């Protein structure tokens, strides 16, 4: 591939787990990909090192004093990267005309506006930030449709389903002979724990995922199984599915990343080692394939694959997410915001593990009059739910 056909990539959230894996894949293919922009929230030292290695045109940090620190450090290293600060800069580097693809890997609701900016600008959007689709599924998919953006799921389960479906799969699963999507879940670190023990789990225990190395928020979501709930909502939007068409299957080895079951009885699965560089490389190169630095699965070593039904009594977050999707409107955004507040409080040791689901359930069961027809209304629902959740966290702490 010539230098002129090299693609410019913006990595939103480059200092996180997905961001680092993305840069690893990019660095393996300097003839195909060049980094246009890297962004972080507060990790300025990590961002500095990434800038020195990947030489982006632009780097973005949230706060102006961090940006000033980075500007000075890059200046001293004689590196011409332009440093910007603030939220609008995240949207700017996502929609910039010369950018071909945007990896949306900011965690949580903070990633919504820049991911949407990339979709509105018609980019190839590599979507790791599932919360964006959970909050604004209808608007996000409309933006993709309108702009002609290519939306490629990076969540390993959705990436797997994407690989198991026909290329043009929009328009409802039935149209393509698909009966059901089988969304696999590892079951998280507490799969075999008793309900009493789970309720008292610590942040370090919750973040010790058996198969995947991930950021702390998604690790806690995996432990509560809210992650699978958010993924169920994400899958509904990505694949035009109803919640009833999605079956969650606990598969502790995380070797099958998900499956599509067809009406003729065929079940197509995508398998691989649990390494996020697989879906990232798929998204970057689609419809081609590139080397991702991941070993081929050794089936003899794995020897056995297990499956079980999720236990919604011990892990009620999955049910809460399904109900929010069934309710529609602002409910998924409210669920997501309440969950973010509760998880943050848990990680700060202000809330017990067992209370996370209770806080979310109390907030989603409150009446809310607003809707989700504009991004402003979605952000208003998010704001309202955060206030509601914060009050409940305070009551628990008090
Ligand atoms: N990790 C995985 O294996 C995995 C798998 C599937 C899907 N995902 C999804 O991918 C997304 C990223 O997950 P992760 O595990 O990579 O998270 P992570 O390790 O916590 O990294 C999050 C990234 O977002 C940045 N960030 C955090 N808050 C921000 C804010 N308010 N404004 C701007 N940037 C902000 C962080 O910057 P700082 O470093 O400065 O804090 C960091 O670069 C999540 O939506 C997650 O659900 C992750």
């Amino acid at each position: 591939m010539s230098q002129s056909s090299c693609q410019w990539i913006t990595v939103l959230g480059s200092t996180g787990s997905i961001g680092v894996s993305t840069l690893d894949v990019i660095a393996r293919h300097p003839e195909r990909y060049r980094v246009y922009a890297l962004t972080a929230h507060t990790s300025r030292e990590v961002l500095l090192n990434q800038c020195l290695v990947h030489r982006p045109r632009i780097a973005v940090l949230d706060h102006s004093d961090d940006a000033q620190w980075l500007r000075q450090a890059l200046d001293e290293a004689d590196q011409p990267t332009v440093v910007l600060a603030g939220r609008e800069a995240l949207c700017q580097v996502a929609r910039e005309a010369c950018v071909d693809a945007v990896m949306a890997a900011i965690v949580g609701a903070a990633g919504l506006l820049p991911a949407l900016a990339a979709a509105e600008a018609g980019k190839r959007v590599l979507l790791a930030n599932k919360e964006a689709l959970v909050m604004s599924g209808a608007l996000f998919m409309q933006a993709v449709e309108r702009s002609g953006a290519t939306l490629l799921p990076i969540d390993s389960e959705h990436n797997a389903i994407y690989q198991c479906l026909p290329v043009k799969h929009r328009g409802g699963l039935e149209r393509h002979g698909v009966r059901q999507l089988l969304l696999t879940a590892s079951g998280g670190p507490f799969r075999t724990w008793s309900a009493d023990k789970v309720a008292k789990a610590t942040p370090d225990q919750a973040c010790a995922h058996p198969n995947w190395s991930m950021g702390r928020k998604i690790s806690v979501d995996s432990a509560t199984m809210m992650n699978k709930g958010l993924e169920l909502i994400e899958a509904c939007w990505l694949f035009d599915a109803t919640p009833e068409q999605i079956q969650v299957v606990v598969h502790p080895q995380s070797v099958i990343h998900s499956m599509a079951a067809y009406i003729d009885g065929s079940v197509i699965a995508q398998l691989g080692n649990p390494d996020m560089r697989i879906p990232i490389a798929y998204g970057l190169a689609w419809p081609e394939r590139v080397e991702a630095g991941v070993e081929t699965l050794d089936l003899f070593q794995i020897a056995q694959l297990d499956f079980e039904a999720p236990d919604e009594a011990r892990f009620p977050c999955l049910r809460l997410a399904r109900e929010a999707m069934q309710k529609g409107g602002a409910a998924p955004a409210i669920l997501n915001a309440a969950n973010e507040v509760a998880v943050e409080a848990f990680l700060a040791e202000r809330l017990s593990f067992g209370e996370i689901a209770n806080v979310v359930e109390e907030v989603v069961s409150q009446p809310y009059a607003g809707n989700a027809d504009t991004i402003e209304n979605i952000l208003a629902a998010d704001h309202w739910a955060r206030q509601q959740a914060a009050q409940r966290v305070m009551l628990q702490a008090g």
Side-chain angles (χ1 to χ4, degrees):
M1 187 172 276
S2 69
Q3 186 75 7
S4 60
S5 58
C6 215
Q7 292 180 33
W8 284 101
I9 316 288
T10 282
V11 185
L12 300 168
S14 64
T15 51
S17 161
I18 294 287
V20 168
S21 294
T22 303
L23 290 176
D24 180 284
V25 177
I26 287 176
R28 291 169 189 275
H29 304 283
E31 74 296 354
R32 291 182 81 112
Y33 309 115
R34 292 191 62 187
V35 177
Y36 177 75
L38 296 176
T39 84
H41 187 219
T42 55
S43 303
R44 58 190 199 181
E45 285 88 0
V46 183
L47 192 58
L48 169 63
N49 287 332
Q50 292 183 337
C51 287
L52 295 175
V53 174
H54 298 280
R55 309 182 66 79
R57 289 207 179 160
I58 299 182
V60 183
L61 279 157
D62 201 28
H63 297 291
S64 50
D65 44 353
D66 286 331
Q68 183 52 30
W69 178 90
L70 182 62
R71 221 169 267 134
Q72 201 170 329
L74 287 168
D75 212 32
E76 281 163 18
D78 226 5
Q79 161 119 11
T81 299
V82 173
V83 182
L84 303 176
R87 291 181 185 184
E88 176 45 35
L90 295 174
C91 295
Q92 186 187 323
V93 296
R95 67 165 85 93
E96 198 61 67
C98 67
V99 169
D100 298 291
V102 175
M103 166 55 79
I106 292 174
V107 63
L112 169 59
L113 294 180
L116 191 58
E120 284 169 341
K123 304 299 180 194
R124 170 187 292 231
V125 184
L126 312 185
L127 189 71
N129 176 228
K130 68 193 84 187
E131 295 91 342
L133 214 47
V134 168
M135 292 174 73
S136 72
L139 290 178
F140 201 98
M141 296 311 289
Q142 283 160 19
V144 168
E145 192 83 11
R146 240 191 340 261
S147 69
T150 303
L151 181 60
L152 293 161
I154 297 303
D155 235 327
S156 61
E157 295 79 359
H158 305 73
N159 188 272
I161 292 170
Y162 193 91
Q163 297 193 44
C164 297
L165 290 179
V167 176
K168 293 187 191 310
H169 57 258
R170 299 288 303 161
L173 293 177
E174 301 87 349
R175 252 181 79 179
H176 306 286
V178 178
R179 183 178 283 152
Q180 215 178 20
L181 301 178
L182 305 175
L183 193 64
T184 56
S186 68
F190 307 144
R191 183 176 62 87
T192 56
W193 288 27
S194 70
D196 283 351
K197 198 172 166 198
V198 171
K200 296 184 206 116
T202 66
D204 283 347
Q205 288 170 326
C207 290
H209 196 279
N211 305 336
W212 298 94
S213 157
M214 307 183 287
R216 283 172 80 76
K217 190 261 178 184
I218 184 177
S219 296
V220 177
D221 286 347
S222 292
T224 60
M225 289 200 78
M226 178 59 91
N227 185 48
K228 214 45 59 181
L230 299 178
E231 287 180 6
L232 185 146
I233 298 174
E234 183 186 11
C236 288
W237 290 114
L238 283 169
F239 305 118
D240 267 348
T242 62
E244 295 72 26
Q245 287 174 310
I246 300 172
Q247 168 78 59
V248 173
V249 179
V250 175
H251 164 46
Q253 291 91 354
S254 298
V255 164
I256 295 182
H257 297 314
S258 277
M259 299 168 256
Y262 286 81
I263 50 175
D264 60 4
S266 298
V267 176
I268 301 185
Q270 187 262 355
L271 286 74
N273 282 313
D275 189 322
M276 287 307 292
R277 290 177 300 176
I278 297 176
I280 290 167
Y282 181 89
L284 282 168
W286 182 89
E288 295 171 15
R289 300 268 179 175
V290 291
E291 203 270 326
V294 183
E295 290 294 311
T296 299
L297 205 55
D298 183 343
L299 286 170
F300 296 118
Q301 198 189 351
I302 291 159
Q304 184 181 333
L305 299 179
D306 298 306
F307 305 97
E308 54 195 63
D311 178 349
E312 294 192 10
R314 271 185 310 147
F315 302 103
C317 288
L318 183 54
R319 169 182 58 79
L320 294 175
R322 189 186 308 105
E323 287 170 358
M325 187 62 195
Q326 283 160 338
K327 196 164 165 195
I334 289 170
L335 169 102
N336 179 66
N339 180 59
E340 284 191 24
V341 171
V343 170
E344 198 182 321
F346 167 68
L347 285 171
E349 301 191 27
R350 288 185 284 114
L351 193 71
S352 71
F353 186 84
E355 289 294 344
I356 297 175
N358 294 345
V359 167
V360 175
E361 181 146 31
E362 282 177 27
V363 175
V364 292
S365 51
Q366 293 301 305
Y368 179 75
N371 54 36
D373 54 351
T374 64
I375 209 68
E376 291 73 25
N377 284 341
I378 289 167
L379 295 175
D382 174 270
H383 181 69
W384 175 85
R386 280 172 200 276
Q387 285 181 326
Q388 295 285 321
Q391 280 170 15
R392 282 160 179 80
V393 167
M394 231 148 63
L395 285 175
Q396 294 297 335

